Amino acid sequence: MTPPMNDIIRRSAAAQAAALNAGEVSSEELTRAHLDRISAVDGDLNAFLHVDQDAALATARDIDSRRADGEELHALAGVPIAVKDVVVTEGQPTTAGSKILEGWIPPYDATLVTALREAGLPILGKTNMDEFAMGSSTETSAYGPTRNPWDRDRIPGGSGGGSAAAVGSYEAPLAIGTDTGGSIRQPGAVTGTVGVKPTYGSVSRYGLIAMASSLDQAGPVTRTVEDSALLHELIAGHDPHDSTSLTDPVGSFAAAARSKDVKGLRVGVIEELEGEGFAPEVSARFTESLEQLERAGAEIVRVSCPNFRYALGAYYLIMPSEASSNLAKFDGMRFGLRVIPEDHPTAENVMKATRGAGFGDEVKRRILLGTYALSAGYFDAYYGSAQKVRTLVQRDFAAAFEQVDVLASPTSPTVAFRLGEKVDDPMAMYMNDIATIPANLAGTPGISIPSGLAEDGLPAGIQFLAPARADERLYRVGGALEALLEDSWGGPLLAKAPELTSGAK
Amino acid sequence: MCLMPSIGRDDVARLADLARIQLTDEEIDRFAGEFDSIMDAVASVSEVATEDVPATSHPIAMTNVFREDVVENTLTQEQALAGAPDAQDGRFAVPQILGEE
């Protein structure tokens, strides 16, 4: 007997894949169930900017018929996925949350999208995000904010709030995110979901609309650690189209996630990322999580990373500097919006009018700050100094990883704040990324998993960081802690989220 | 640590000109009111950025990533022009480059 679809879409991606393999459900049914869920709740959530029902169902039917023919398929074949709208998809609109790309249909697929298509994952659509991934709340999207499934008046985090809200509300079992300063991990923390920023270069950046090329990294957004591991294995690997792509073999992430063994694992608590600025209940859930690990045989050690206090400053110099250069290509000449001013429509004036009309406030703010930081006379003091801080942050990580196997901190200093609460205060918004930014500066991997309910009954996250190329350790500790916490909660944290009873599109 | 000059309306207007972004007067006022506090908050980097610290531009050190010099699949002319605001004779059509003088 077929179980109700409402039940199947709440299972993990791994369990949905098992149901497909067992013939319990077809990919077409599974994909349609997720499309139905999107229709039922996304009018409220606004997690999706574009839903491609026909393409998703066509992929699903193709996988069903290949499975019926006995073809050997990828473990996740037929399990639907949502893709952040900063990743280009051939034939499907890609806006990066900006008016300047409204209606643009990319002529090629990102390498990670090619991997998804080859593995036969139906792509449900493209998820909402802060414009060009610039933000921590999804409020800078030109297409309206995404709402948090736990409380529709709260932010879902950002920039990847759409991907996190989609998996958190059972609209999709899997999603792709990108993380430049925390855009996968912080939305995970505030929506009670799992997100991984892989080692820089683990997943190809080819086809990601770049914000800051030396910081950007795509990764998995899921409800379980094992699902992140499976998705990471699928999208990782060397890509000759990305010169910064690592040539290392892809690790056994899923096996690490399933091992559930932390005996002897040394976990370092970063002294600079606790106390002041971190909400009391967020900190309490963090401490309880560490106690769980300790009881399971891990060793908890305190470590100091003194230069992390300069990381936020370095990040808000390097990121706008790189963004000001990367976003120069949006000039109204070859693709995207073109605005022709009435007076003197020279190429230069068309560019200015196009960028003035096409970019939102935060994008303009960062381009101008980057232009300033790179300008003659200030370059050494700002960009040059920030690059030196980057070295110091890397040295802090190196020293810490001589003492411990992984580092830990709360992912985000607070639970989800209210929509509009920080939108007029750029520095307050930037502080959300205080714990996540060091990993981007150093290229090291990080995972956020739910640590429990904190202030106002809303989810908080715990973050683990590992040395570059040691992503496996994140899955090992993340999978183990997830199992320990779910035992103590009597099930996944998301089961405590309120039912979404309205919000049809 | 060097003291940075404050960023006024004229500076914001000049930066916007350099970055080819047309701003309204209201936007110029707003950004001019914000940038000093943002730059003050990030300027702390110079406290520890001493001369003996080398700069890092890239998180994972790599040098000279080359590939074989062979022709690969690229976009067709039609694909490349598909998203263009204006095209003519298989090329991007752009506004006049120089002013009228």
Side-chain angles (χ1 to χ4, degrees), chain A residues 148-152 168 190-192 453 457-459 493-498 500:
Chain A
N148 191 318
W150 288 77
D151 179 347
R152 60 191 303 286
V190 300
T191 58
L453 298 182
L458 292 167
L493 191 68
L494 272 177
K496 299 177 193 286
L500 299 171

Side-chain angles (χ1 to χ4, degrees), chain A residues 143-301:
Chain A
Y143 305 98
T146 297
R147 295 170 183 277
N148 191 318
W150 288 77
D151 179 347
R152 60 191 303 286
D153 295 327
R154 306 267 180 158
I155 60 107
S159 66
S163 286
V167 300
S169 63
Y170 311 103
E171 292 177 320
L174 300 167
I176 295 293
T178 61
D179 191 310
T180 305
S183 288
I184 288 175
R185 290 163 287 159
Q186 180 256 7
V190 300
T191 58
T193 58
V194 176
V196 176
K197 180 202 100 70
T199 295
Y200 181 86
S202 169
V203 178
S204 169
R205 288 184 301 106
Y206 182 73
L208 268 57
I209 298 174
M211 167 160 64
S213 307
S214 78
L215 303 164
D216 297 344
Q217 180 60 205
V221 173
T222 64
R223 292 191 290 267
T224 71
V225 175
E226 184 191 16
D227 286 355
S228 273
L230 290 166
L231 182 53
H232 188 176
E233 285 180 16
L234 166 54
I235 60 177
H238 181 246
D239 177 15
H241 288 122
D242 173 2
S243 63
T244 61
S245 167
L246 297 178
T247 52
D248 314 17
V250 178
S252 303
F253 305 140
R258 291 174 192 133
S259 70
K260 313 265 196 288
D261 178 13
V262 291
K263 277 197 192 63
L265 186 82
R266 296 167 303 164
V267 180
V269 179
I270 304 167
E271 287 181 351
E272 285 75 13
L273 295 178
E274 56 180 5
E276 198 190 341
F278 288 83
E281 291 191 46
V282 171
S283 299
R285 295 301 90 76
F286 174 66
T287 305
E288 291 158 13
S289 299
L290 296 175
E291 287 164 3
Q292 290 272 6
L293 287 172
E294 198 166 23
R295 278 199 289 276
E299 186 188 342
I300 310 298
V301 183

Side-chain angles (χ1 to χ4, degrees), chain A residues 356-433:
Chain A
F359 289 145
D361 271 1
E362 185 61 20
V363 176
K364 289 174 181 169
R365 186 177 288 123
R366 294 196 191 185
I367 291 174
L368 296 175
L369 287 169
T371 305
Y372 181 68
L374 293 175
S375 58
Y378 302 124
F379 182 90
D380 288 343
Y382 287 138
Y383 188 70
S385 296
Q387 287 193 312
K388 292 182 172 191
V389 169
R390 204 164 180 173
T391 306
L392 296 172
V393 168
Q394 288 193 343
R395 287 179 182 171
D396 280 1
F397 270 118
F401 287 129
E402 284 186 4
Q403 305 170 56
V404 298
D405 301 305
V406 295
L407 292 167
S409 80
T411 311
S412 178
T414 66
V415 297
F417 47 91
R418 286 189 172 76
L419 288 160
E421 194 176 320
K422 298 186 180 180
V423 80
D424 293 323
D425 186 349
M427 277 318 299
M429 190 68 91
Y430 298 168
M431 292 299 286
N432 290 301
D433 303 331

Side-chain angles (χ1 to χ4, degrees), chain A residues 99-102 330-341 345-347 349-351 353-355 357-358, chain B residues 83-87 91-96:
Chain A
K99 285 281 180 222
I100 212 161
L101 282 178
E102 191 166 16
F330 301 103
D331 57 7
M333 296 296 131
R334 291 153 299 165
F335 61 114
L337 182 72
R338 175 182 289 184
V339 175
I340 301 172
T346 60
N349 289 334
V350 168
M351 288 178 194
T354 299
R355 290 160 67 81
Chain B
D86 194 9
R91 300 168 193 185
F92 295 105
V94 302
Q96 68 177 106

Side-chain angles (χ1 to χ4, degrees), chain B residues 38-87:
Chain B
I38 296 174
M39 294 315 287
D40 281 353
V42 301
S44 64
V45 293
S46 58
E47 290 170 20
V48 286
T50 50
E51 272 190 20
D52 56 316
V53 180
T56 296
S57 61
H58 195 268
I60 310 277
M62 286 184 178
T63 45
N64 296 347
V65 178
F66 294 127
R67 68 168 177 87
E68 292 303 308
D69 185 15
V70 292
V71 177
E72 289 191 357
N73 288 335
T74 58
L75 298 181
T76 63
Q77 189 179 46
E78 196 180 322
Q79 286 173 319
L81 292 171
D86 194 9

